[in-house]
């Protein structure tokens, strides 16, 4: 999500949580996107945590979600696609490539937040329907059993990783 000021933060959080429920409906098949196969990911369930960081530069708020999605095993999550989120302008992290699933997340999430109808055409031509040519920054990584990594920022200091 783009950063927001304090006045818009509560509405932005409500929007994010509402839209996340729509996103889950797409993943679990209760809501479909014509000619987009999300069932191949085999969604079983998930959990989410809201984190809000504050910009030291201008005091704006950056609400974002950390989630665990339980999907079918042995999915191809090959990270071979480059987009504008691949480069870190600060130079702190290396170039990142994305999977097909990442690209779908980025575009579907953006359309949902902007309340633009989620269609195959809008997903494929997102730059033509909004000001975010690659959607919003989202990524999916395998946990490899390290589930605490997903929520460690949202739960700062409230648990020991070996007991979570």
């Amino acid at each position: 999500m783009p950063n927001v000021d304090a006045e818009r933060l509560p509405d932005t959080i409500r929007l994010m949580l509402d839209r996340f429920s729509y996103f889950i409906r797409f993943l679990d098949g209760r809501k479909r996107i014509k000619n987009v196969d999300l069932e191949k990911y085999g969604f079983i369930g998930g959990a989410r945590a809201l984190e809000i960081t504050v910009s030291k530069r201008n005091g704006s708020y950056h609400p974002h979600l950390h989630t665990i999605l339980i999907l079918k095993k042995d999915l191809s999550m090959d990270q071979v696609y480059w987009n504008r989120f691949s480069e870190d302008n600060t130079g702190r992290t290396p170039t990142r490539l994305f999977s097909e699933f990442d690209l779908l997340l980025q575009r579907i999430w953006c359309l949902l937040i902007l309340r633009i109808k989620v269609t195959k055409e809008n997903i494929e031509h997102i730059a033509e329907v909004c000001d975010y040519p690659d959607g919003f920054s989202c990524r999916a990584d395998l946990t490899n059993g390290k589930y605490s990594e997903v929520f460690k920022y949202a739960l700062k200091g409230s648990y020991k990783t070996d007991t979570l």
Side-chain angles (χ1 to χ4, degrees), residues 7 26-28 36 38 42-43 62 65-68 79 86 93-95 116 134 147 152 155 161:
E7 184 177 316
F26 285 131
L27 283 177
D28 72 11
V36 175
L38 294 176
F43 177 78
H62 178 64
L65 298 174
H66 293 260
T67 66
I68 286 184
Q79 297 174 329
S86 295
T93 58
T95 299
I116 297 171
D134 291 314
Y147 309 111
K152 71 180 181 183
L155 301 174
T161 53

Side-chain angles (χ1 to χ4, degrees), residues 74-122:
D74 301 324
L75 287 171
S76 172
M77 294 292 210
D78 294 338
Q79 297 174 329
V80 296
Y81 300 100
W82 184 95
N83 68 18
R84 68 186 184 99
F85 303 121
S86 295
E87 297 294 329
D88 174 16
N89 295 334
T90 67
R92 290 186 297 229
T93 58
T95 299
R96 178 184 173 87
L97 296 177
F98 295 101
S99 68
E100 175 187 313
F101 186 63
D102 291 323
L103 298 182
L104 275 172
L105 288 174
Q106 292 167 359
R107 293 168 179 224
I108 291 172
W109 184 245
C110 180
L111 294 170
L112 284 169
I113 291 296
L114 297 178
R115 296 184 183 273
I116 297 171
K117 186 166 179 63
V118 180
T119 64
K120 180 179 182 181
E121 294 74 26
N122 287 345

Side-chain angles (χ1 to χ4, degrees), residues 18-59:
D18 176 68
R19 301 282 92 186
F20 187 78
S21 69
Y22 275 82
F23 176 68
I24 294 300
R25 287 183 217 152
F26 285 131
L27 283 177
D28 72 11
R30 286 180 287 160
K31 190 162 179 62
R32 300 198 188 280
I33 305 167
K34 187 176 180 180
N35 297 319
V36 175
D37 181 16
L38 294 176
E39 289 182 24
K40 69 182 176 183
Y41 297 106
F43 177 78
I44 296 168
R48 63 161 169 74
L50 172 69
E51 181 180 7
I52 303 167
T53 56
V54 182
S55 170
K56 292 178 182 173
R57 188 171 41 89
N58 63 15

